Amino acid sequence: MEGRLANAWRLTANDKSFIRTALLSEIRIDGRKPYEYRKIVVKFGREDGSSEVQLGQTRVMGIVTAQLVQPYRDRPKEGILSIFTEVSPMADPSFEPGHPGELAVELGRIIDRGLRESKAVDTESLCVLAGKFVWAIRIDLHILDNGGNLVDAANIAALAALLTFRRPECSLGGEDGQEVIVHPPEIREPLPLIVHHLPIAITFGFFSNDSILVIDPTHNEEAVMGGRMTTTVNANGDICAIQKAGGEGVPQRVIMQCLQLATAKAAGITKQIKEAVEVYNTERALRKIKRHPTSTGVNVKERQDQSVGK
Amino acid sequence: MEVDREDGRTQNQLRPLACSRNVLHRAHGSASWYQGDTKVLAAVYGPKAGARKNENPEKACIEVIWKPKTGQTGKLEKEYEMILKRTLQSICILTVNPNTTTSIIIQVVNDDGALLPCAINAACVALVDAGIPMKHLAVAICCCVAKSGYVIMDPTKLEEQKMKSFAYLVFPNSVHSVLPEGSVQGEPMEHGIVTSVTHVDDYFYCLERGCAASAKLSDFLRRSLQRHPTDSSKAG
């Protein structure tokens, strides 16, 4: 037990008071202004449905897979969407492997609520045979690096992965039309998911002195702040979800201010995600055309200089 | 015997390698290793205070956590963790920091064949990035034997599934010594072998090929580690 405490990361009292004092003059320790977001980079893997998002120093990977399962009994015509959040010990030395801590559970719930309750993903189109077969979409979020504000980064990763995911096309066959035939991707082009809108999560941090508000806290600021609130809004101005679990109380006008800020930011982030997805889709289409391998590997037996491939 | 591989490589050709270190900010050491489409990310935290339960407190302890791309961790992941732990235990100097734990976390980003060797290579680079004292580095390679008897190196996932047997071989890296030739003796030892059922002759053939490959791999490793950590290095 003692060993564990010794390994926990703690911010010193000097660092904490420095962050608070700097905020009084509207300066943040990484040079941003209070309402400025960090740089977002959205990258995709080779396979459909795998994304990697970097929000400043925070890094999250999202993977989407699909499986044919039996639907829930009370919802026989809808597909199933499930989100699994893996807070890897890679991200933070205080994360324990094995059982997910409060942070992981809260993270998963916020993203789940944002996607499911707002009906962002169309689950009715995932139904293949009512009552028997539906697609179950599984989103795995791997937190790779904790630089603060995991919720926002994980949300963007989930959305990016959902937008680039393609599920195999299937049709009904067999004698009585009750059999489902899943077509492999080489034969029939897989289909994208129907996503109606993109709910973007924006997190705010509250500091007790003079009710200072910052957007997108880093993990140093998270250790100092008195309370946090995550609002999930979309570019149309709809509020999909708000999460404020404990922490210090804030007056009403601050909440309204947060919502207005969030809506403004959401538009910019939505545009960025869509642009990145466009680039990926174009590359994907080009990849379908090229057939010859463009890279060469290292030939082991021959005594030649290393040939540099791609 | 000429063999046609799907991506146009010859029998002994490895896939393009890419390696970057210091990719994560919180981890003490981190590395990503790409072998063709197989991508693995490794992070190292350590040495941390205290040895784990049932571990010898007079030595440094190594803990490996393997995170698959999707799904729950099961027996296969536990097996990978155990193999990786034993391999790394044999290359790290365990007497330097007794009663400490070094954690290595492996995240599979994409699996396209030869996953375990890729992970071993990534873990090695991450340990160097973290500054953990080691006797030497490990380079890992995968060889597969087909039903008709030919041996291929560094298979993709499709090739792996069609093969009769496979061998994952781990060698120490090649030595660049300032001593004159001849004074460095001893044969390169192997540190880890994972193999499925193969015929004895095939196994020795794999071993010989693996040895040759490890020389090329350790050159690549040396070059990429000598570079500045923020540059990513790539090789054919």
Side-chain angles (χ1 to χ4, degrees):
Chain A
M1 273 305 129
E2 261 176 47
R4 302 271 174 84
L5 286 175
N7 291 326
W9 169 81
R10 272 185 290 265
L11 205 55
T12 62
N14 284 355
D15 283 335
K16 285 186 186 172
S17 70
F18 183 76
I19 294 175
R20 284 202 196 98
T21 323
L23 277 171
L24 286 173
S25 337
E26 299 206 344
I27 303 171
R28 293 169 79 171
I29 47 171
D30 54 354
R32 284 186 285 159
K33 297 205 207 58
Y35 303 151
E36 210 181 301
Y37 234 83
R38 283 176 289 183
K39 180 161 171 258
I40 303 175
V41 178
V42 183
K43 280 195 271 197
F44 297 98
R46 262 198 82 128
E47 287 183 359
D48 295 328
S50 78
S51 68
E52 197 184 290
V53 171
Q54 252 185 302
L55 175 63
Q57 288 191 352
T58 304
R59 203 160 141 167
V60 181
M61 187 169 77
I63 311 233
V64 176
T65 46
Q67 226 189 347
L68 270 177
V69 296
Q70 256 196 345
Y72 294 136
R73 232 170 280 170
D74 54 342
R75 277 191 273 250
K77 295 209 186 117
E78 282 183 20
I80 301 171
L81 183 72
S82 47
I83 299 181
F84 291 87
T85 322
E86 283 278 337
V87 182
S88 170
M90 187 183 268
D92 199 306
S94 60
F95 294 158
E96 292 286 314
H99 77 103
E102 283 178 1
L103 179 70
V105 176
E106 197 186 349
L107 192 88
R109 285 296 304 139
I110 296 176
I111 300 176
D112 190 278
R113 207 180 314 132
L115 284 173
R116 197 193 301 276
E117 305 294 328
S118 64
K119 309 253 190 294
V121 180
D122 186 42
T123 45
E124 284 185 6
S125 62
L126 297 173
C127 176
V128 180
L129 195 56
K132 298 257 180 68
F133 287 110
V134 295
W135 286 106
I137 305 288
R138 182 194 162 111
I139 306 175
D140 280 285
L141 294 166
H142 296 283
I143 314 283
L144 302 175
D145 209 359
N146 181 10
N149 200 5
L150 292 173
V151 182
D152 293 14
N155 196 329
I156 298 175
L159 290 172
L162 280 170
L163 285 173
T164 54
F165 175 66
R166 302 267 190 278
R167 64 169 175 85
E169 198 184 322
C170 51
S171 46
L172 296 172
E175 291 148 358
D176 49 355
Q178 294 291 308
E179 236 181 71
V180 178
I181 310 166
V182 179
H183 301 282
E186 293 88 38
I187 309 220
R188 289 236 202 137
E189 182 70 17
L191 308 165
L193 295 174
I194 299 178
V195 179
H196 296 299
H197 63 96
L198 297 177
I200 310 279
I202 312 260
T203 303
F204 296 89
F206 305 118
F207 294 82
S208 33
N209 37 350
D210 291 340
S211 58
I212 295 177
L213 178 68
V214 298
I215 214 174
D216 187 22
T218 60
H219 83 280
N220 287 328
E221 289 166 344
E222 280 180 351
V224 182
M225 65 192 189
R228 64 151 60 195
M229 184 172 79
T230 303
T231 58
T232 310
V233 298
N234 68 12
N236 302 336
D238 303 321
I239 298 172
C240 306
I242 301 183
Q243 170 102 350
K244 185 187 181 311
E248 57 182 42
V250 285
Q252 237 179 0
R253 57 164 179 84
V254 175
I255 305 259
M256 292 312 292
Q257 190 189 2
C258 287
L259 290 171
Q260 277 161 0
L261 272 169
T263 318
K265 294 286 172 197
I269 296 176
T270 309
K271 186 160 158 274
Q272 206 178 347
I273 299 178
K274 288 201 173 148
E275 275 170 12
V277 172
E278 264 307 304
V279 171
Y280 171 77
N281 284 336
T282 324
E283 254 180 55
R284 187 175 182 275
L286 284 174
R287 234 188 294 142
K288 294 261 167 203
I289 302 170
K290 264 201 253 187
R291 287 287 163 198
H292 294 287
T294 50
S295 49
T296 52
V298 174
N299 205 323
V300 168
K301 279 284 191 172
E302 289 171 25
R303 296 251 156 250
Q304 63 187 25
D305 293 319
Q306 322 289 331
S307 56
V308 181
K310 279 212 202 102
Chain B
M1 143 187 19
E2 273 308 308
V3 171
D4 274 328
R5 292 173 79 169
E6 270 176 22
D7 48 5
R9 287 187 283 154
T10 63
Q11 267 181 290
N12 299 320
Q13 223 174 358
L14 304 174
R15 285 176 289 183
L17 302 165
C19 157
S20 348
R21 59 185 178 106
N22 207 16
V23 290
L24 300 175
H25 296 97
R26 296 299 298 278
H28 298 151
S30 56
S32 70
W33 185 279
Y34 297 177
Q35 244 172 266
D37 272 338
T38 302
K39 300 181 178 155
V40 175
L41 186 61
V44 171
Y45 280 100
K48 295 188 281 194
R52 293 273 169 255
K53 272 192 245 181
N54 306 328
E55 295 280 350
N56 187 1
E58 290 182 33
K59 289 202 173 148
C61 155
I62 298 204
E63 184 193 17
V64 177
I65 299 161
W66 181 287
K67 292 274 178 194
K69 185 171 165 184
T70 176
Q72 301 282 73
T73 49
K75 297 212 174 76
L76 184 64
E77 283 75 36
K78 288 269 178 271
E79 187 191 353
Y80 285 154
E81 284 177 9
M82 182 204 76
I83 294 170
L84 206 58
K85 178 177 157 155
R86 301 241 180 108
T87 309
L88 295 174
Q89 265 176 343
S90 66
I91 63 171
C92 289
I93 303 178
L94 298 174
T95 47
V96 174
N97 292 319
N99 203 18
T100 60
T101 305
T102 303
S103 306
I104 295 132
I105 303 113
I106 304 281
Q107 172 71 55
V108 177
V109 178
N110 196 23
D111 179 11
D112 190 31
L115 185 59
L116 191 55
C118 200
I120 294 174
N121 291 329
C124 219
V125 180
L127 284 169
V128 171
D129 193 40
I132 306 292
M134 294 193 280
K135 297 173 202 153
H136 51 72
L137 302 176
V139 289
I141 194 83
C142 177
C143 306
C144 276
V145 183
K147 291 187 190 72
S148 43
Y150 64 86
V151 174
I152 57 170
M153 309 275 293
D154 199 13
T156 61
K157 206 168 183 71
L158 291 170
E159 289 173 341
E160 244 180 18
Q161 283 161 352
K162 289 188 274 187
M163 292 290 134
K164 174 178 84 171
S165 58
F166 62 89
Y168 295 147
L169 304 165
V170 184
F171 296 96
N173 66 332
S174 55
V175 176
H176 276 199
S177 174
V178 294
L179 301 171
E181 282 290 332
S183 56
V184 180
Q185 77 256 75
E187 297 185 353
M189 308 162 291
E190 273 178 57
H191 287 277
I193 317 164
V194 176
T195 167
S196 61
V197 176
T198 63
H199 196 255
V200 169
D201 290 338
D202 292 337
Y203 175 64
F204 284 121
Y205 194 46
C206 283
L207 204 56
E208 179 200 308
R209 295 289 179 93
C211 243
S214 74
K216 286 284 192 310
L217 264 177
S218 44
D219 280 338
F220 169 71
L221 193 56
R222 177 165 273 119
R223 271 181 298 142
S224 49
L225 287 174
Q226 276 172 346
R227 271 175 225 251
H228 196 265
T230 48
D231 297 338
S232 62
S233 68
K234 294 189 190 288

